[in-house]
Structure formats: structure tokens, C-alpha cells
Amino acid sequence: MIVAANAVLSPTAKRRPISWGNPLTYALALAVAAVSITPVVYVIVGGFRTTPQIVADPAGLPDPWVWDNYSRVLTQSDFWRQVFNSAVVSLGTTIGVVVLGVCAAFVLARYTFRGREVLYTFFTLGLLFPAGAAILPLYLMLRDLNLINSYYAVILPQVAFALPLTIVILRPFLTAIPRELEDAAAIDGTGRLGFLWRILLPLSRPALVTVGILAFVTSWNAFLLPLLVLGDASLHTLPLGVQNFSSQYTSDTAGILAFTSLAMLPALIFFTFAEKQIVGGLQGAVKG
């Protein structure tokens, strides 16, 4: 017993081998974070400089700090109209993705029928289909449906392209809910839709938040689809507004940086505050 106690209390026994994997992992993580964050910080800080300052020292700090670029953008009516358009499109896309994704994932997770796995594989293969390859036929279809120059021309395709990932994330959550809960709810007189609304959705909140955030941020930053289907300038979203501003004020580099940083700021803030929800939702999807 004395020998065992000495072995426990001995500093040598408590010593663990040094793992060089962790420092390497942290170094790689810091490098990736630096590569990702540096351009964002550069754009935001560049908005507080003047164009001559940027030309003279592209990597320098503002000296002095100039607020005029941001105030000039914030006082433009076009900017706020584009913010409204982006909000309508992004919220419409998010609601459509979550509602339709939950309905499809619920059927694929809780119902047993012939061809279920084939249908799920069909949705999964949608992840491999590049949206850019469908732009031309998509435009022709929207034109034939008289949806060009409307919010629906952006919202409906974005919902369709976001559904595969949404179903892949939601289905494991809905499948992991024990059947005993469904049986108990049925004994209490709750139907399947009531079980979905009262039990499944609250328990799947991390996954719902995850798919909602991913859909919102992706829609907010979308450029190619709005560029093709929104010819009316009054319907332009913020990414198109950045392009229009850049074309109109080609020589105003500082103003362009200010407009760009304000355009990406809502999605950046939204994503930052919801980061833990996204990680939790994706971890649950992988475990499922």
C-alpha cells in the first residue's frame, strides 16, 4: 500500500508525455483565423481612412480617423433601400428553408415507406450540384413564370438550393428522438403533427437555429442570382449595391471600403453571436 501511495503521490507518476499535436493544432487554427479575419479588419479599418492615405500607405492605420465615409454611406437612401431588400429576401429565404426543410426531414426521419432512403439520397446528391450550372435554365424558367424583377425570383431558388443541406442536418436530429416519446404522445391523444410541434421542434432547436443561420447568411451574401434576376435598381440587394457603388465611385477607395464593411456587418454580427448554436447543431447532425 505504501508503494502504491508513493506511486500516486510521486511527481513522476503524475507527469504526462508532452503532446506536440496540440501546439501544432493551435498554430494552424490561429493561422486560419488570421487569414479569415485580416481582410475583414482591413476593410472595416480602411473605411476610416481617406483615399490619399490608402494610396500612400495601403497597410497603414488611419491617421487621423475619418468618419466621413461611413456617415456619407449611412445618409444615402439607396443604401437603406438595399438593406430593406436584403432583409426581405434573407428572411423570406430563411423561413422557407426552415419550414420546408422541417416538413421534408420529418417525413424522412419518422415515416417508413418504400423508397425513403432513395429519396434521402436524392436530396443528398443535391449538395453536389453547383448552383452556377443551373443559372441559365433557372433564369429562363423564372422568365416564363413572370417572376423576374421580384423578390420571389431570388427567394424560391435560394430555398431550393438550401434544402439539401437543411435536410441533411435536420434528419439526424428528428431521427434521434426516442420512439417512446412518440408512443407516449399518441397515448395522450397527440397526433403526429402535434408531436412534431410540441416535442420534436423544441428538442431540435439547435439544428433549426443552425439551418436558419446558414440560410440567412448565405442569402444575405448572394450576388450572382440577384444580379441576373433583379434588373430593377429599386429591388437591388446590398451585394449589388456594393457593385453599383464601386462602379459609380471608382476613385473613392475609402468610400467603397466603408460601403462594403457596412454591407457585410449585419451578417457578420449575426453569424458571430450565433456561432455556438451552429457548432452545436452541426455536432448533433454528425452524431446522428
Side-chain angles (χ1 to χ4, degrees), residues 42-49 54 66-67 69-70 254-255 257-258 261:
Y42 180 82
V43 171
I44 296 175
V45 174
F48 290 101
R49 307 176 70 192
I54 296 175
V66 179
W67 299 86
N69 298 318
Y70 285 99
L257 293 178
S261 61

Side-chain angles (χ1 to χ4, degrees), residues 50-86:
T50 62
T51 299
Q53 288 179 7
I54 296 175
V55 173
D57 186 9
L61 293 174
D63 186 24
W65 289 72
V66 179
W67 299 86
D68 207 40
N69 298 318
Y70 285 99
S71 62
R72 182 156 48 91
V73 173
L74 291 173
T75 53
Q76 290 185 0
S77 59
D78 289 344
F79 172 78
W80 292 108
R81 184 173 63 248
Q82 291 157 7
V83 170
F84 175 78
N85 293 335
S86 291

Side-chain angles (χ1 to χ4, degrees), residues 216 227 241 259:
F216 182 88
L227 176 65
F259 196 105

Side-chain angles (χ1 to χ4, degrees), residues 129-143 148 153-154 157-158 161 222-229:
F129 186 78
I135 286 297
L136 180 57
L138 181 61
Y139 176 84
L140 296 176
M141 182 180 67
L142 294 173
R143 185 194 63 185
I148 298 297
V154 182
Q158 287 185 158
F161 284 113
F223 175 76
L224 181 58
L225 180 61
L227 176 65
L228 292 177
V229 301

Side-chain angles (χ1 to χ4, degrees), residues 51 62 166 172 179 242:
T51 299
T166 301
R179 291 282 177 181
V242 172

